[in-house]
Amino acid sequence: MVERYVMSIDQGTNSTRCILFDHRGRLVSVAQHEHEQHFPRPGWVEHDAAEIWHNLQRVVPEALSVAGVDADRIAAVGIANQRETTVLWDRRTGAPVTRAIVWQDTRTAPLVDELRRRPGEEFFLERCSLGPSTYFSALKLRWMLDNVKGLKQRAQDGEVLFGTMESWLIWNLTGGPDGGLHLTDPTNASRTMLMNIRTLTWDDELLALFGVPRPVLPEIRPSAEPYGEARAVLPGVRITAALGDQQAALFGQTCFSPGEAKCTYGTGSFLLLNTGTELVRSRHGLLTTVAYKIGDQEPVYALEGSIAVTGSLVQWFRDRLGLISSAPEIETLARTVEDNGGCYIVPAFSGLFAPRWRSDARGVIVGLTSYITKGHLARAVLEATGWQTREVVDAMNADSSVALKQLKVDGGMTADNLLMQFVADVLDVPVVRPMVIETVSLGAAYAAGLAAGYWSDLEVLRRNWHRAGQWLPAMDPERRASEYENWQRAVERSLGWARAPRSGEAD
Amino acid sequence: MAGPVQSIERAAAILRLLAAGPRRLGLGEVAASLGLAKGTAYGILRTLQHVDFVERDTATGKYQLGAALLHLGTSYLDVNELRSRSINWADALAARSGEAVRLGTPLEGRVLVIHHVFRPDDTLQTLDVGALLPLHASSLGKVLLAYGTAALEPATGPELEAYTRHTLATVEQLDRALAEVRDLGWAAEIQEMSMGEAGVAAPIRGHGGLVVGAIGLSGPVERICDSQGHPRPSLITLLREAARAVSRELGAGRW
């Protein structure tokens, strides 16, 4: 019998990749293209959605060609995507109305302040379980409607469509202006601040508050369900899953039971804890989010600790400071010294996310002395990821009845042994890495394969999970405590740095 | 036998020219100094730039020797980058073979384990990244020796340290084995480092085919070898596919 594969498309913050997986969840081929990051002003981050669609049209045939197969060997395709990043496009021409506003973008900070004052945080928490933040799509969409000339009217008239990246790509894959399907799933919709977290439908009060006309919105469909066949790129192949990347990673790590958690280390890092069909509200700065909804089954929820800047700090170290020529070299540089030399970096580039949620924070480097070398800075870069993880785990332990006993990790940064050891050291629990670190892609493939009948049930998927590496805590408890204290003192110094401008636009 | 390759002679002349003077040279100066057409000189400079032997100043457009030339004797590929670029394929190899996978690069006359993927049976295993293995008694080491990526310590006599009765204990035996590795394209180690254990390894190639490291899998001898005591062909196939995939990732041509 000819072997069939499941295709996964991961539309991430930095790149778009296509990966084929076999029945045992093993990676068969990969193709990837990076897209440009636009930083038109401080705090602004934009992507060109047309470039991303173009990249998708390149990576799919490349992944097929590396595997040496045609599209007819693909049982189904699933999509995982960077969340919250907001695209608005013309229904007739298929052209993006403006550049996509990326999740890290902080231009909507003044709107956040306004919404916190009126109607106040509780109004939002009750409906979508998210407090106002520059992070979520509704604010970005609102900014577009307010700032692109004539857009409000075109939106009212149904001439433009809104979506996060999965909506944009699925619409294009299924025909674009010529009958493309305009849909999203609850994991992505739960990051917009427009969806009611209990009913998983667009919430009229939220729509009214943000001034979002209904005709721009995609239909909310289950995360795993046959949506339709592709007409472009992969003609005839069924598209059967869409998940936000972090929920996809939770799925790929097979965290299907309440209490199971994972942390994905990428541009940012995201710790998700499965809370089952129960909607748990955090009292310690975590987000309540939809983990997945398979077909007509009950939705499964998760608590999420989102860290905005981890891998992107390493990229900044590489691209903006030029102290290393490739991201993995951060480990080489960090190993040239024994410790951080008393130096700490708090990478609050776009404020601080979980558990602090301070949009007024900005990055600081503290503890500088003439002793500090670039090696110490490299250490401080890696340690920032470790300590930010610790803060989120502390919040999760405070919210949950059982403390985390081990941390399942994935993502590109898990190739960094120094970092993984540091995470184990500061959390004081074992850190384990699965045999596939591309869990975002794997999760989208799993959901797609499940909906297409390629895999029969969750148990089959669970059996595919194997431990590929493990780091055990080895740090002296006293040192852990004093270093954590230093980190927290460093964070104090980052808070309140960004001030609202006296007049005119926010920075 | 073919004569000297003209473009390589010219490339060498350009490097000597750039090394001779204290200042950067423009394309016109390089071409005039060596009596080359500008287009010819440009093609060679571009290629030398591609392999990092020459750097071009972005402001002036002038050329100078590249940093890579200063580090010719040391590995040009950062080991952490090698791990990062190979991790997906090492994982897939472990998943497909059912055995533990390691990557090695040379370090001071030994093999440095730079990456380790557990055997996928969820038993208790310990990461041994950073461990050092003997060159002559490990399959990873034999690959590094066979392709000139590593060399035995200059002080090594004709006798080699024997770990088991199967260790290749003389330089002569080892040399014969290394010739065979080059013929086959992979190396084996059957109870040569410890009794009951076996491993196979294949070269990882970077730009231009240069071997930059080795990838191998290892486990109990009865799982790695068939009943005749030969490494299982199915494992060799998986291993070589993984090695080729990593090499492709690193920009090696068709291997």
Side-chain angles (χ1 to χ4, degrees):
Chain A
M1 201 183 95
V2 185
E3 184 161 20
R4 284 160 70 81
Y5 304 115
V6 175
M7 177 181 285
S8 174
I9 291 164
D10 172 12
Q11 201 304 293
T13 309
N14 289 299
S15 70
T16 302
R17 41 227 228 124
C18 178
I19 302 188
L20 302 191
F21 291 97
D22 69 11
H23 204 265
R24 300 274 292 275
R26 298 174 302 204
L27 188 141
V28 176
S29 72
V30 188
Q32 168 170 352
H33 279 290
E34 296 198 356
H35 55 264
E36 200 173 334
Q37 308 288 319
H38 300 272
F39 305 106
R41 296 188 198 182
W44 291 32
V45 190
E46 300 178 345
H47 290 161
D48 177 356
E51 180 191 1
I52 286 171
W53 164 237
H54 179 69
N55 282 351
L56 176 67
Q57 291 168 284
R58 293 161 73 195
V59 293
V60 167
E62 278 175 32
L64 289 171
S65 142
V66 171
V69 299
D70 293 322
D72 59 6
R73 296 268 293 277
I74 303 303
V77 54
I79 296 172
N81 57 288
Q82 54 167 324
R83 306 171 303 173
E84 299 98 10
T85 297
T86 301
V87 193
L88 210 53
W89 67 95
D90 187 299
R91 178 198 290 276
R92 268 183 289 278
T93 64
V97 167
T98 173
R99 282 209 198 115
I101 302 182
V102 178
W103 57 276
Q104 299 137 319
D105 189 294
T106 56
R107 75 182 67 180
T108 58
L111 180 56
V112 172
D113 294 339
E114 203 182 305
L115 294 172
R116 283 211 176 116
R117 281 195 301 273
R118 199 168 43 88
E121 195 148 34
E122 197 54 33
F123 175 87
F124 296 101
L125 289 175
E126 266 172 31
R127 287 161 182 83
C128 62
S129 85
L130 304 172
S133 159
T134 59
Y135 189 14
F136 305 115
S137 314
L139 290 88
K140 302 176 195 293
L141 175 55
R142 168 69 182 269
W143 189 94
M144 288 181 180
L145 293 171
D146 287 345
N147 289 276
V148 179
K149 205 168 162 244
L151 193 57
K152 261 185 204 144
Q153 192 54 49
R154 291 171 69 195
Q156 296 285 4
D157 297 345
E159 288 176 19
V160 293
L161 300 176
F162 153 81
T164 34
M165 282 296 171
E166 84 295 357
S167 304
W168 163 246
L169 294 178
I170 291 172
W171 186 80
N172 277 294
L173 279 170
T174 53
D178 185 15
L181 299 171
H182 188 215
L183 58 90
T184 184
D185 92 299
T187 68
N188 278 298
S190 74
R191 317 292 293 194
T192 57
M193 295 193 80
L194 296 174
M195 185 188 78
N196 185 295
I197 193 76
R198 289 183 179 78
T199 63
L200 307 191
T201 56
W202 300 120
D203 185 292
D204 284 321
E205 284 177 295
L206 290 168
L207 295 183
L209 189 107
F210 282 106
V212 173
R214 251 185 197 271
V216 305
L217 295 171
E219 182 191 357
I220 303 173
R221 300 276 296 269
S223 319
E225 179 184 76
Y227 302 139
E229 285 183 2
R231 288 166 61 190
V233 190
L234 284 163
V237 177
R238 284 188 297 169
I239 303 171
T240 56
L243 292 139
D245 51 11
Q246 296 310 319
Q247 286 90 338
L250 187 74
F251 208 78
Q253 283 266 26
T254 66
C255 295
F256 301 136
S257 302
E260 292 188 302
K262 68 87 204 180
C263 190
T264 303
Y265 289 92
T267 309
S269 293
F270 300 86
L271 208 159
L272 270 74
L273 172 76
N274 183 322
T275 60
T277 50
E278 184 192 359
L279 197 154
V280 178
R281 198 194 273 191
S282 172
R283 285 173 294 116
H284 299 90
L286 304 174
L287 304 177
T288 303
T289 202
V290 177
Y292 51 88
K293 175 171 167 54
I294 301 173
D296 53 12
Q297 296 173 28
E298 288 278 286
V300 171
Y301 292 95
L303 275 177
E304 170 175 325
S306 333
I307 307 168
V309 176
T310 54
S312 53
L313 180 60
V314 178
Q315 285 165 4
W316 173 80
F317 205 69
R318 179 194 65 192
D319 300 336
R320 303 267 157 169
L321 299 190
L323 291 170
I324 46 175
S325 58
S326 75
E329 277 175 36
I330 190 90
E331 181 174 357
T332 311
L333 185 55
R335 283 190 191 275
T336 60
V337 293
E338 288 295 306
D339 56 32
N340 61 22
C343 178
Y344 301 82
I345 300 180
V346 182
F349 291 177
S350 42
L352 287 170
F353 281 14
R356 294 169 187 265
W357 298 104
R358 290 288 295 263
S359 53
D360 63 349
R362 285 298 176 271
V364 293
I365 303 179
V366 298
L368 289 180
T369 60
S370 48
Y371 171 75
I372 296 299
T373 64
K374 58 185 178 178
H376 296 112
L377 290 175
R379 283 248 167 198
V381 162
L382 293 177
E383 292 184 2
T385 294
W387 291 122
Q388 292 187 99
T389 309
R390 167 73 189 264
E391 291 197 338
V392 166
V393 167
D394 282 359
M396 215 157 258
N397 285 341
D399 271 335
S400 153
S401 49
V402 279
L404 193 74
K405 289 204 179 54
Q406 67 165 14
L407 184 65
K408 285 181 170 181
V409 296
D410 53 75
M413 281 179 104
T414 58
D416 192 315
N417 280 286
L418 188 64
L419 172 63
M420 289 301 108
Q421 182 59 52
F422 189 74
V423 171
D425 283 344
V426 302
L427 298 184
D428 200 20
V429 296
V431 167
V432 295
R433 171 177 96 73
M435 203 59 81
V436 175
I437 63 165
E438 307 291 348
T439 47
V440 170
S441 296
L442 184 63
Y446 276 174
L450 212 52
Y454 183 80
W455 286 293
S456 57
D457 55 48
L458 297 179
E459 267 321 297
V460 176
L461 302 179
R462 245 186 229 285
R463 284 198 292 274
N464 282 343
W465 193 97
H466 295 295
R467 192 188 303 131
Q470 172 164 275
W471 295 266
L472 300 173
M475 190 184 267
D476 169 63
E478 268 177 42
R479 177 145 175 264
R480 179 185 302 126
S482 72
E483 284 292 304
Y484 193 20
E485 200 192 321
N486 286 343
W487 162 260
Q488 287 167 319
R489 290 197 300 133
V491 173
E492 290 300 319
R493 277 151 184 81
S494 76
L495 303 177
W497 182 259
R499 283 192 194 156
R502 301 249 164 106
S503 61
E505 281 203 305
D507 63 352
Chain B
M1 201 184 122
V5 178
Q6 193 183 40
S7 58
I8 295 179
E9 285 187 326
R10 287 173 170 170
I14 288 177
L15 291 177
R16 287 209 171 93
L17 180 69
L18 291 174
R23 60 187 190 89
R24 300 190 180 110
L25 297 177
L27 172 62
E29 292 171 286
V30 172
S33 298
L34 299 174
L36 295 173
K38 265 196 182 180
T40 309
Y42 181 66
I44 295 170
L45 281 164
R46 276 279 302 262
T47 307
L48 289 170
Q49 205 185 335
H50 177 68
V51 298
D52 298 331
F53 280 15
V54 159
E55 284 168 12
R56 184 167 175 272
D57 186 74
T58 43
T60 62
K62 293 191 173 190
Y63 295 91
Q64 62 179 349
L65 289 186
L69 269 185
L70 306 174
H71 307 290
L72 261 188
T74 54
S75 169
Y76 79 93
L77 185 65
D78 182 89
V79 297
N80 292 308
E81 179 158 12
L82 178 55
R83 180 191 316 112
S84 194
R85 305 269 288 269
S86 54
I87 192 163
N88 280 329
W89 306 111
D91 281 347
L93 176 59
R96 292 205 165 80
S97 66
E99 304 298 343
V101 170
R102 285 177 181 75
L103 265 75
T105 56
L107 182 74
E108 292 163 1
R110 319 264 281 178
V111 180
L112 172 68
V113 176
I114 63 151
H115 184 46
H116 174 196
V117 185
F118 290 169
R119 190 173 59 249
D121 59 6
D122 300 322
T123 58
L124 185 66
Q125 296 163 70
T126 312
L127 275 189
D128 62 8
V129 173
L132 292 167
L133 307 174
L135 282 170
H136 70 284
S138 66
S139 52
L140 292 170
K142 286 190 204 173
V143 166
L144 298 178
L145 286 172
Y147 293 94
T149 312
L152 294 175
E153 294 283 318
T156 311
E159 305 288 313
L160 299 167
E161 186 176 350
Y163 296 89
T164 72
R165 58 193 163 82
H166 300 290
T167 310
L168 303 177
T170 69
V171 170
E172 204 190 328
Q173 278 180 310
L174 179 63
D175 281 343
R176 271 202 303 276
L178 295 182
E180 198 184 336
V181 171
R182 284 186 291 268
D183 282 346
L184 294 171
W186 52 273
E189 140 218 351
I190 301 165
Q191 308 196 79
E192 291 160 54
M193 199 158 46
S194 56
M195 290 306 288
E197 294 289 315
V200 287
I204 296 172
R205 296 178 188 272
H207 279 296
L210 191 68
V211 174
V212 294
I215 181 170
L217 47 87
S218 56
V221 63
E222 64 275 12
R223 286 221 304 264
I224 302 297
C225 297
D226 59 21
S227 52
Q228 273 90 53
H230 300 301
R232 294 176 194 275
S234 57
L235 290 180
I236 300 294
T237 304
L238 291 173
L239 171 70
R240 299 189 71 186
E241 276 171 11
R244 271 194 294 268
V246 177
S247 301
R248 255 199 318 271
E249 174 78 35
L250 295 177
R254 300 190 59 81
W255 293 97

